[in-house]
Amino acid sequence: MISSLLNTIKFKKKVLLIQLRTKKKLIQVFKIFSLIVLFHDSNSLIGQYEYLHPYIPYDSCNFDSHPIIEIKLWIHILQKDKKNPENLTSDSLKFINQQYKWINNFYKNIKPPTLKIKNQLHYVKDSRIRFLVDTVTYHINENGWDRIKYIKETNSQRWMKILAINPDSGIIEIEGVRDRFALIQDSILIENSLLNNGVYKVANLSRKKGNTILTLINGSALKKDTSGYVSYYKKIDKNCHKDNWINFTNENKDFLHVFYTGSSVSVPAFGCGPSPFFLNISSVLENGAFATAQLTAHEIGHCLGLRHTNTPQFSDLPLTDQFGWLKCNNSTVSNNIMGYNKCRNYLSPLQIAYIHYRYSSNNDLYNTLTNKENKDITIITTPSVWEKNVIGKKRILIKKNQSLTVKKHLIIPNNGIIILEKNSQLIIDNGKVYAPNENWKGIRTKRSILNFFKKFFSSNNEDQIFLKDDGVVIY
Ligand SMILES: [Zn+2]
């Protein structure tokens, strides 16, 4: 059956090659091909994310194998200058604390989805994701503060030659077709003192044969002349840039750095979360405090690995989600934190699972968590099997006659230890037990716990630890 299928595929390939000879046929082939691809995709869409299912923290899931992850934040406030900070100040700590109280609440109290999908997974009430404001620092730095600005184009090669000026109608004709030249849509600068240098607002751009007509709002101040050049202000948008992360933290990866910045162009609050190690939030003073928290929760979502919901990242998201800072509803606009809606209080089970999966699979990300300094204990009182990566607690105690089977990664925090009581077992079945910072105390039997010099895998415990297949303990 399989070989005949293969033959059919080979045969079809041949047919395809023959068909490719004519353009019309090519389009037909493409249509058939995309149909096959579509069919294939919809079939595999659910299976594609099966690996995330063990990471969904349903209410019934144990906190030992599904712990809360807490991300350490370092807040940086960039002020324009000392006199006019145009941003938060040292008096804003209350504002900051309130922000993260709200943001933690969004992630803790997930609301049901407004847009339902077929085969909806049961929704998760608590994402088990939290944020801790660890440090707040202030920087006075206008360049770091200014995320969106206009600067004059000084490269004269890019200036535009003036062909004619009509002050009465406020019109300038410039050489070449520049109507698609987005940079001059806002304002221009005349580079010829005879013509009254200055900044002029462009009201309209149009084409005239091979040239461009600019209609200016304040063009009547111009002189009638036909020489000189028009320069313009180009927009510099550093919303997503990493310059502040480089300049103020030296690309530090121990925190998620939140930069509160500003903009010399007056726009409503905006932000960008391009990295798990930093995000920018700008112009918060021109925004409502609660809306700023919603915006920040969204940008943090990007830092955690989530994408916008207008095209679904996972199989448990609706196929479309209308964007535009709209009220959420039950037909077109979701209430997803990663959408552009006014609710922003839902995350899907797979969105949440993906975050847990990422932070338990990547040592760099694990390093931003307070979990690496965990002081708690997990007590294994029934035979337990961990089939996913688990971010462990400081001490794992396997009680007498009990067993813990590790099938993926078990991540041990700083100075962590695994303690085996009499006749208990640790079975590492194709899994890996390790500490990303390589500073843990290893596995001890309870009998030897006080003896710090006793070697790991001593004769005391070797009959209690089982390595199966590629199972490994890194110590
Ligand atoms: Zn976004």
Side-chain angles (χ1 to χ4, degrees):
M1 178 66 191
I2 288 172
S3 77
S4 81
L5 199 70
L6 280 176
N7 281 337
T8 318
I9 291 168
K10 272 183 195 159
F11 172 73
K12 275 188 177 166
K13 258 189 182 170
K14 242 185 202 170
V15 173
L16 278 179
L17 282 174
I18 296 162
Q19 283 177 328
L20 289 181
R21 286 184 190 141
T22 66
K23 211 179 172 186
K24 204 177 168 190
K25 290 247 169 80
L26 175 72
I27 293 164
Q28 280 176 353
V29 170
F30 181 72
K31 275 183 183 165
I32 293 164
F33 184 70
S34 37
L35 263 178
I36 293 167
V37 169
L38 271 177
F39 178 69
H40 175 78
D41 256 359
S42 63
N43 251 357
S44 66
L45 208 63
I46 292 161
Q48 199 183 337
Y49 299 108
E50 212 129 84
Y51 76 101
L52 291 177
H53 283 231
Y55 293 89
I56 302 173
Y58 289 118
D59 279 7
S60 56
C61 290
N62 188 306
F63 277 83
D64 288 314
S65 51
H66 291 75
I68 291 173
I69 59 169
E70 187 180 54
I71 294 158
K72 276 187 297 172
L73 305 179
W74 187 329
I75 310 288
H76 301 262
I77 294 166
L78 280 109
Q79 299 173 339
K80 189 183 176 192
D81 58 58
K82 208 171 177 181
K83 238 182 159 181
N84 301 303
E86 295 197 25
N87 203 350
L88 304 171
T89 65
S90 52
D91 296 330
S92 308
L93 283 178
K94 222 174 150 186
F95 172 90
I96 292 166
N97 287 331
Q98 179 62 61
Q99 287 291 300
Y100 293 94
K101 222 182 215 175
W102 276 327
I103 292 165
N104 274 321
N105 196 43
F106 300 151
Y107 280 80
K108 186 181 177 185
N109 294 306
I110 303 283
K111 297 286 178 287
T114 57
L115 294 188
K116 301 281 189 285
I117 61 156
K118 228 176 146 187
N119 304 321
Q120 184 87 49
L121 289 166
H122 194 273
Y123 101 97
V124 172
K125 289 180 189 158
D126 179 358
S127 73
R128 301 196 188 182
I129 298 160
R130 304 284 189 274
F131 308 94
L132 175 80
V133 176
D134 183 282
T135 312
V136 182
T137 48
Y138 299 86
H139 315 272
I140 298 169
N141 186 299
E142 187 173 349
N143 197 36
W145 168 84
D146 203 352
R147 292 292 93 185
I148 298 182
K149 59 185 169 187
Y150 285 96
I151 63 163
K152 191 179 134 182
E153 177 56 73
T154 50
N155 180 356
S156 58
Q157 300 284 315
R158 292 177 180 229
W159 293 353
M160 298 163 282
K161 193 176 186 329
I162 297 170
L163 297 177
I165 290 178
N166 184 346
D168 301 332
S169 51
I171 278 174
I172 297 184
E173 186 175 349
I174 56 169
E175 194 178 74
V177 175
R178 308 297 280 267
D179 58 340
R180 286 177 181 274
F181 207 79
L183 295 170
I184 56 175
Q185 277 172 9
D186 191 54
S187 32
I188 60 165
L189 197 70
I190 309 294
E191 294 287 345
N192 181 333
S193 56
L194 294 172
L195 297 168
N196 284 353
N197 282 357
V199 180
Y200 296 86
K201 284 276 180 195
V202 179
N204 187 42
L205 287 157
S206 61
R207 215 183 263 202
K208 186 186 166 191
K209 289 173 189 164
N211 298 319
T212 307
I213 304 291
L214 305 178
T215 310
L216 307 177
I217 289 168
N218 49 348
S220 57
L222 287 166
K223 291 177 185 168
K224 207 165 185 163
D225 197 340
T226 54
S227 62
Y229 288 83
V230 161
S231 177
Y232 51 89
Y233 283 92
K234 55 182 176 183
K235 193 179 182 187
I236 305 289
D237 186 338
K238 294 202 290 181
N239 184 23
C240 298
H241 274 214
K242 62 177 178 183
D243 55 340
N244 285 335
W245 182 52
I246 294 170
N247 295 338
F248 298 107
T249 80
N250 201 17
E251 300 184 51
N252 173 283
K253 291 183 173 178
D254 295 329
F255 296 85
L256 173 54
H257 296 271
V258 186
F259 293 95
Y260 285 93
T261 43
S263 164
S264 55
V265 174
S266 174
V267 279
F270 57 97
C272 185
S275 152
F277 307 112
F278 73 87
L279 67 144
N280 293 318
I281 300 290
S282 301
S283 302
V284 300
L285 298 182
E286 294 167 45
N287 211 28
F290 189 75
T292 297
Q294 286 184 311
L295 168 72
T296 310
H298 171 97
E299 300 308 338
I300 286 177
H302 285 308
C303 297
L304 304 185
L306 302 183
R307 298 204 296 265
H308 287 152
T309 47
N310 51 352
T311 50
Q313 186 178 6
F314 302 107
S315 54
D316 63 346
L317 291 166
L319 289 177
T320 56
D321 183 8
Q322 201 185 334
F323 272 29
W325 203 239
L326 304 160
K327 272 186 184 169
C328 56
N329 60 46
N330 54 20
S331 57
T332 51
V333 183
S334 83
N335 56 337
N336 201 295
I337 288 176
M338 300 316 293
Y340 269 51
N341 59 74
K342 288 187 174 176
C343 304
R344 284 186 168 169
N345 52 19
Y346 171 70
L347 286 174
S348 80
L350 291 182
Q351 283 179 307
I352 294 165
Y354 181 63
I355 295 167
H356 285 280
Y357 164 76
R358 263 185 111 212
Y359 279 78
S360 60
S361 310
N362 181 321
N363 290 345
D364 277 352
L365 301 188
Y366 174 77
N367 219 30
T368 65
L369 302 179
T370 62
N371 301 60
K372 71 174 181 180
E373 304 292 348
N374 186 279
K375 301 260 184 283
D376 297 338
I377 183 164
T378 288
I379 303 174
I380 304 292
T381 54
T382 52
S384 306
V385 182
W386 289 354
E387 306 209 39
K388 59 186 265 289
N389 295 340
V390 173
I391 291 176
K393 291 179 178 164
K394 187 180 179 185
R395 285 176 296 161
I396 297 174
L397 173 65
I398 306 173
K399 294 294 278 182
K400 197 174 159 187
N401 301 324
Q402 300 307 324
S403 69
L404 172 63
T405 303
V406 176
K407 292 202 160 190
K408 287 272 165 37
H409 291 182
L410 168 55
I411 302 160
I412 310 285
N414 293 342
N415 299 313
I417 189 166
I418 299 176
I419 304 157
L420 297 165
E421 281 193 3
K422 201 178 167 190
N423 293 329
S424 66
Q425 292 184 339
L426 174 63
I427 302 153
I428 300 148
D429 182 358
N430 215 9
K432 180 168 130 181
V433 178
Y434 77 108
N437 298 316
E438 295 173 5
N439 54 347
W440 66 298
K441 291 176 176 167
I443 306 165
R444 309 285 169 114
T445 59
K446 212 170 182 190
R447 293 187 296 282
S448 68
I449 187 160
L450 292 173
N451 187 348
F452 261 66
F453 300 101
K454 194 145 261 171
K455 277 277 170 208
F456 165 61
F457 278 146
S458 70
S459 58
N460 276 341
N461 63 21
E462 66 187 6
D463 58 340
Q464 290 179 265
I465 302 168
F466 299 90
L467 302 179
K468 283 191 186 172
D469 286 337
D470 287 330
V472 63
V473 178
I474 299 169
Y475 178 65

